[in-house]
Each structure stands twice: as structure tokens, then as C-alpha cells.
Amino acid sequence: MLKRKIWSKILCSMLVLMILTSFPLNSTGGDENKISEPSERVSLALPNSTQLHLEANGLLLQKTTSSNKTYIRSMDQTTVYDLFEDGENLGSIKVTVREIDNGDFFIFTQLQNKSSKGYSASISYPISGNVQYDLIDFERQEIQHEHDNVSGVDPTTYPIGLLKVNENENENLVTNMMISRNYVTKELIKKYENGDKSVVRELTSENKNLNLIKDNNGLTVTLPLHSVGNDLSENWVLVAQEPLFKKEQALDEWISQSTKHYKEINKWYTAEGPYTKLPWSIEPETKLGYGRNLVRVQDKKALNYYETTQERYFYDLLLNSIANLFIFQGDKKGLWETEYTSTWLKKDYGINAPYIDTRHNEKIALFLKEAGNILDIKELKNSTIIYADFLVNQAKNGNIIEVPKGGYLVTDYYSPQQAKKTHVSLNHALGEMNFLLETYQQTKGESYIDVARNMRRGVESIGEKWLRENGDVWYQVNGDFTFEGTDYPLLTLEDLLKSQQTWEAVGEKRSEIFDRLIRSKTQYLVESKQEILRPVAISLINQGFGDIIEGYNNIPKF
């Protein structure tokens, strides 16, 4: 009886193999795309002539597709391996190697478990030779996972750390590796009658899994991919043959910031972009919802740190972010659409995913332009024009709130399916106005400054009604000119300060109303003892508001 079962499994496996090898796959051409023989362990060639090894808990792996894609200063090679047990397809492992133009490369790995039972896989990176290693662990102090009124608790943390591997004899650097934790999630999809859909991830666990095995042959770095069933399991590694951080102080500062601002700094990267905690007000509903938030897909933290430190790690993150933005955009040229539904937008305005968030698109366009200027990338330097034209067309098409005393405000969100116009938040209005002014400076197009002037008049016509009793500003104005919402601590203040500088730069006077809002907002922050970041404090001093923050202690040094 036992022999009969064994032969049955063997015949089943052989049958599946015969079927698979009888039908060629669509591929991008080349022998590397042909279906391979299944095996318990497979190897993948990496840009530095090293082999990456994949195993899946005794399951058979079979290469099915391989493709290449080129982005700005980076290139992807993506390979997919299907997983089989007793002839049954249980899922797949996708490996994307993203090579940056400096020779560094990311390895993004995703295990998709389509079965209900748990199993695990792993990727192993061998480093041959007589070497020694040092792991700089990011877990220097415990993160205080505070509850947020909008998004709840974010239990994610930071990468495992930076691995330094040196030659034993002369201590020359062999490799630097930034190694992530393992993220396990379930994909949740809500489909709508018109064919649209909303996509989010529900976090199952974040795991600190890493095995370092040193023997006579060298060092093997192994990252397990844990799975509990019907889920996705992901990790990433950045490999460099030069120091990712030349200055120890810069690394220490980054570790400190990653701990202190764990909710704002990306740490869960995938080949399609980073995933971050989403508000509770999403559909499909989950308290542990994560998604590709467009504000975070553009990695502004990395850009800022690269500009100030010139460290290699931030250069790699910056080029990775540029690639992710164009991957996210796909075939929809020009604008970026949010891919998950906000339940309050759906309830109030009939908007579901996908839709245009004006502030997100503004931030992306400015990010790409700034990256283009810093890195001298011609293709990115004109990234603002498409979005500026969109804002001008929104005004022409009447997707605005007209203010009775003069001017108008472009609404925050747009979807062809929306039931009515949305509200306008002060930070959106100021951001769009500043964006149009910068585009005018770049192009001298009169339509841009005309819309910006009308938006300025709209904000000024509402005037001090923007102010709450406690001195803070309201977050939004509705179509009936009622106000609601708690404003961001610093974002709107930064927009107000920037707008005053930008109007002066185009030869126009400062706004008296804007100055009143700046003074009131700053006094509120001081009285409520909230942190004012140093760049904001410097802008306040330079624009004549230094008296408000004189002697104020809650301003960080950097």
C-alpha cells in the first residue's frame, strides 16, 4: 500500500512536468525564459557574479518567466519560480534584482502562497573567502508604538541592520548589505460594479529573520520567508561593494531617525514600491491596513538626506524611488492615481479608487523635479508641467469652490465618477498655488500665474475665518463655507512660509493675511509645546517671526 502511494505521487509529479513542458510560456525572448526542470534548490546570477540561492522547504521550484525593464539610472531583472508539491502548484517566488548605475543592487523577494497551509522559503547569498563580519543592528532602543487617531498603531519598525563584510587579512571591504525584516501580509481587494477596484494589504507579521553562517568557505547570508497560508511574504536586501555610509555619524543619525520617526521613514520596500500604514478609513476595511501611499512612494526623506550627506545609501534609495514611481504610474502617463478607497471620500462625494489626490500629485511632481536638479537628470527637470496643466484645466472645467469676495480654490480630489465637488484643505490650496508659481517661474506661462493669483485671492477672501479659537488653522473649507478638521502640525505653516517667498520671487508683495495666519499658527505651536523642525524655525526667523520662537526649546538641532 505504501509503495503504491509513493508511485502515485511520482507519476503525478511526472504528469504535471510533462504538461508544463508541453506548453511554451509567453516570454521576452531568449533561452533564459524557457521553462526549467523543477528542483529543490535554484540559483540566480547577480550583477556582481555571485549566485543567489532559493529554497522552499522541500518544495520543487520551476522557473517560469524572466523579464528585463529599464528605468532612469536603474534596471530590473525579474524572475518568477512556481512552487510544486506532489504535482500541485502551491504558489510562486518572484525575485527582482534592481541594479543601480553605481553597481549597487536591490534584491526584492516575494513568496506568494496560494495554499491554505503554511510553509517557508529562503534566499541565500554566499560570500566566499577568508572574511569577517559585523552586523550593525538598528534595534538599539525600543520603539514606542503610539496610537494615532487616524491610523491606529503601526507595529512595523526598521530594517534588521547594516552588514559589513571585510577580508580577514587586510580588512578591505568585501560587501555592505542593508537587510530588511520579513513582512507577511494578506492582499485584500474590493471590486466595484464599474470594474474599478481598491487594493490594500493586511499585515500578519513583521519578522526579524536572518541567519549568518560562517565556515571555511566564507559567509552565507540567509533570509527566511515565513508564510502561514494564502498570503504574501516579502523582504529586500541592498548589496554594495562600496560603503553605504562613509560617515559613522550619518549612519548613527539615520538609525536614530528610523527609531524616532518609524511611521514616516520607509522600511518595507518591494519591487513595486514601499508599503506604509494606512488610515482606518479604507475599503476593504482592516485595522492593520498597509498600502502604496503616493506621498511615501516618492522617498522625500532619502532625497533630503542625500542632498545633505551625499551618502551612497540615500542615492540608492532615491533612484529606487524614481523607478517605483514610474512602475506605479504604469501606462497612465502624466498623473498618479490613489489605488485604495477612502471610505469618507466615498461616503461624502461618491469617490472610490482609483482617483486623483491633488496634493499627492503635486508632491510627486516637485520630488521628481528636485531629484532631476540634484542628480542632473534632464528627463525629470520638466516633471511639473503636466500636473500644472491639470490644475489649470481643473479651474477651466469648474472643479473649484468660488469664494464670494473674490478668487477660487481648486478642489482637493477628482474622479470622473464623483457625485459632487470635494472640499478644499488649506494645505492643498497653498501647495497648488506654490506649485503653479514655480511652474510660471520655469516656463513664464501666463495661465499658471493667473490661476495662482485667483487661488491667493480665494484664501485671502476667506481671511481670518481660517483661524480656530485656539489659534490653530482649520484643516478644510467645504462648499458651503463651513470649516472642519484638525490641521497638520507643520505642513500648512511650511506652505504659508514658502508661499510668501515665492510671491516675492515673482515680483509681488507679501500677503498680509498669510502673515497673520503664520503668526497665529506659530504661537499656537509654541503654546501647545509642539516640535518645530529647524528648517521651519529658520524660515520663521528669516521672515521676521523670530520673536515668537525666541528661547523656545522644542526645536531639534538638525
Side-chain angles (χ1 to χ4, degrees):
M1 185 69 180
L2 181 59
K3 289 183 178 180
R4 187 180 300 172
K5 287 184 178 180
I6 293 172
W7 274 108
S8 176
K9 288 183 178 182
I10 292 172
L11 289 170
C12 186
S13 297
M14 291 176 64
L15 179 61
V16 169
L17 177 57
M18 291 171 62
I19 293 171
L20 284 169
T21 53
S22 297
F23 295 91
L25 293 173
N26 294 327
S27 68
T28 57
D31 291 341
E32 72 275 9
N33 293 306
K34 292 181 179 178
I35 296 177
S36 64
E37 292 290 331
S39 60
E40 293 185 356
R41 187 189 195 201
V42 298
S43 298
L44 180 69
L46 296 175
N48 62 354
S49 301
T50 305
Q51 295 284 320
L52 184 73
H53 304 304
L54 281 71
E55 294 183 79
N57 209 27
L59 304 181
L60 294 178
L61 293 93
Q62 186 169 51
K63 179 179 173 181
T64 55
T65 61
S66 180
S67 60
N68 297 307
K69 185 76 173 178
T70 301
Y71 303 101
I72 295 174
R73 294 193 187 179
S74 67
M75 182 178 69
D76 280 6
Q77 178 187 347
T78 300
T79 310
V80 177
Y81 301 87
D82 279 350
L83 298 171
F84 292 95
E85 182 180 58
D86 297 335
E88 180 184 1
N89 187 329
L90 299 184
S92 62
I93 296 179
K94 182 175 72 171
V95 180
T96 298
V97 179
R98 177 166 299 153
E99 185 176 7
I100 309 299
D101 65 345
N102 61 5
D104 299 350
F105 56 91
F106 291 87
I107 304 171
F108 301 105
T109 315
Q110 181 188 82
L111 166 66
Q112 182 183 29
N113 184 353
K114 296 191 295 185
S115 74
S116 58
K117 69 176 184 178
Y119 58 83
S120 61
S122 66
I123 63 168
S124 297
Y125 183 92
I127 303 170
S128 60
N130 185 13
V131 297
Q132 57 182 325
Y133 69 88
D134 177 32
L135 176 64
I136 301 174
D137 198 324
F138 273 41
E139 197 169 357
R140 295 180 175 180
Q141 64 184 77
E142 186 178 352
I143 290 177
Q144 302 299 316
H145 294 275
E146 298 175 352
H147 182 273
D148 183 270
N149 291 333
V150 174
S151 58
V153 175
D154 179 2
T156 61
T157 55
Y158 29 52
I160 291 175
L162 179 65
L163 180 67
K164 294 182 178 181
V165 183
N166 297 328
E167 293 179 355
N168 235 336
E169 294 179 359
N170 50 31
E171 296 190 358
N172 287 337
L173 179 69
V174 175
T175 189
N176 251 194
M177 299 176 69
M178 188 67 77
I179 301 173
S180 83
R181 298 186 180 224
N182 169 229
Y183 298 91
V184 184
T185 59
K186 293 184 182 296
E187 187 173 61
L188 307 180
I189 298 175
K190 170 71 174 180
K191 295 182 179 179
Y192 301 103
E193 292 182 0
N194 63 358
D196 291 338
K197 63 181 180 179
S198 174
V199 182
V200 301
R201 299 272 200 93
E202 183 176 65
L203 181 69
T204 302
S205 63
E206 177 197 71
N207 308 306
K208 188 179 181 181
N209 292 339
L210 172 65
N211 295 323
L212 300 172
I213 301 174
K214 190 174 180 300
D215 55 27
N216 293 332
N217 296 319
L219 175 69
T220 301
V221 182
T222 301
L223 276 75
L225 287 158
H226 177 67
S227 169
V228 296
N230 294 312
D231 54 19
L232 298 170
S233 182
E234 296 165 313
N235 59 27
W236 62 270
V237 181
L238 173 60
V239 182
Q241 291 176 290
E242 299 289 336
L244 289 171
F245 288 88
K246 288 186 176 180
K247 297 182 286 290
E248 188 174 339
Q249 182 182 2
L251 174 58
D252 289 339
E253 170 68 14
W254 182 247
I255 293 174
S256 174
Q257 290 297 310
S258 297
T259 302
K260 183 178 181 181
H261 300 291
Y262 70 97
K263 291 187 288 186
E264 289 80 37
I265 290 180
N266 291 333
K267 82 281 288 187
W268 172 6
Y269 291 102
T270 75
E272 289 76 36
Y275 279 79
T276 53
K277 187 74 169 66
L278 300 178
W280 283 353
S281 55
I282 54 173
E283 187 177 72
E285 182 182 354
T286 170
K287 299 293 185 183
L288 285 174
Y290 288 75
R292 296 189 296 171
N293 183 324
L294 284 169
V295 170
R296 300 282 290 281
V297 178
Q298 50 98 10
D299 208 334
K300 191 66 164 63
K301 294 278 188 184
L303 186 148
N304 290 341
Y305 270 87
Y306 176 70
E307 190 174 17
T308 56
T309 69
Q310 296 294 299
E311 291 287 6
R312 193 181 187 95
Y313 180 61
F314 302 119
Y315 177 84
D316 292 345
L317 290 183
L318 181 51
L319 268 295
N320 178 62
S321 178
I322 292 169
N324 284 335
L325 282 168
F326 289 106
I327 290 168
F328 189 108
Q329 189 182 59
D331 296 330
K332 298 176 181 178
K333 302 298 182 185
L335 296 175
W336 281 262
E337 296 179 335
T338 300
E339 66 178 352
Y340 50 85
T341 294
S342 164
T343 52
W344 64 270
L345 277 180
K346 183 180 179 182
K347 175 177 174 292
D348 290 351
Y349 307 113
I351 293 176
N352 58 253
Y355 60 89
I356 300 295
D357 183 318
T358 57
R359 191 78 207 236
H360 287 187
N361 277 269
E362 171 212 329
K363 291 289 188 184
I364 291 170
L366 289 173
F367 169 82
L368 290 174
K369 179 184 177 182
E370 190 175 354
N373 291 333
I374 291 172
L375 301 176
D376 193 25
I377 299 175
K378 185 179 179 181
E379 304 98 298
L380 299 181
K381 291 182 179 181
N382 294 325
S383 298
T384 55
I385 295 174
I386 292 175
Y387 179 59
D389 289 341
F390 168 77
L391 292 174
V392 170
N393 288 330
Q394 288 289 88
K396 286 180 181 178
N397 296 334
N399 200 22
I400 56 176
I401 294 178
E402 294 191 61
V403 182
K405 292 183 180 180
Y408 56 72
L409 304 173
V410 176
T411 57
D412 281 10
Y413 304 95
Y414 171 73
S415 168
Q417 288 82 33
Q418 67 189 57
K420 61 179 180 178
K421 296 177 185 179
T422 74
H423 62 269
V424 175
S425 53
L426 182 55
N427 79 86
H428 275 243
L430 294 168
E432 292 159 6
M433 182 188 69
N434 294 340
F435 188 92
L436 289 165
L437 289 175
E438 290 183 15
T439 309
Y440 169 73
Q441 288 177 294
Q442 181 182 352
T443 65
K444 302 305 177 186
E446 288 296 325
S447 61
Y448 304 131
I449 198 168
D450 286 345
V451 176
R453 287 189 180 116
N454 273 297
M455 295 187 72
R456 171 174 172 165
R457 280 194 288 270
V459 174
E460 291 176 329
S461 296
I462 293 173
E464 293 189 1
K465 291 181 180 178
W466 285 112
L467 295 176
R468 301 167 64 112
E469 290 183 2
N470 62 3
D472 197 7
V473 298
W474 287 104
Y475 175 75
Q476 72 183 53
V477 60
N478 301 314
D480 60 359
F481 293 97
T482 57
F483 298 86
E484 62 182 289
T486 302
D487 188 45
Y488 295 105
L490 293 177
L491 181 61
T492 306
L493 178 59
E494 291 178 90
D495 291 329
L496 286 163
L497 290 163
K498 182 178 179 180
S499 66
Q500 295 289 52
Q501 289 180 313
T502 311
W503 280 113
E504 289 180 318
V506 298
E508 303 205 12
K509 294 181 180 179
R510 292 176 67 90
S511 166
E512 292 183 9
I513 288 294
F514 287 8
D515 276 345
R516 288 180 212 167
L517 298 180
I518 290 169
R519 182 165 288 276
S520 182
K521 175 76 177 183
T522 306
Q523 288 173 336
Y524 163 77
L525 292 173
V526 171
E527 289 169 5
S528 57
K529 300 179 180 179
Q530 297 189 50
E531 182 181 69
I532 299 176
L533 297 177
R534 182 151 295 274
V536 180
I538 292 171
S539 293
L540 287 167
I541 293 169
N542 291 340
Q543 295 192 37
F545 302 99
D547 58 299
I548 309 175
I549 59 173
E550 186 175 355
Y552 189 56
N553 294 324
N554 202 0
I555 301 174
K557 293 181 180 180
F558 300 102

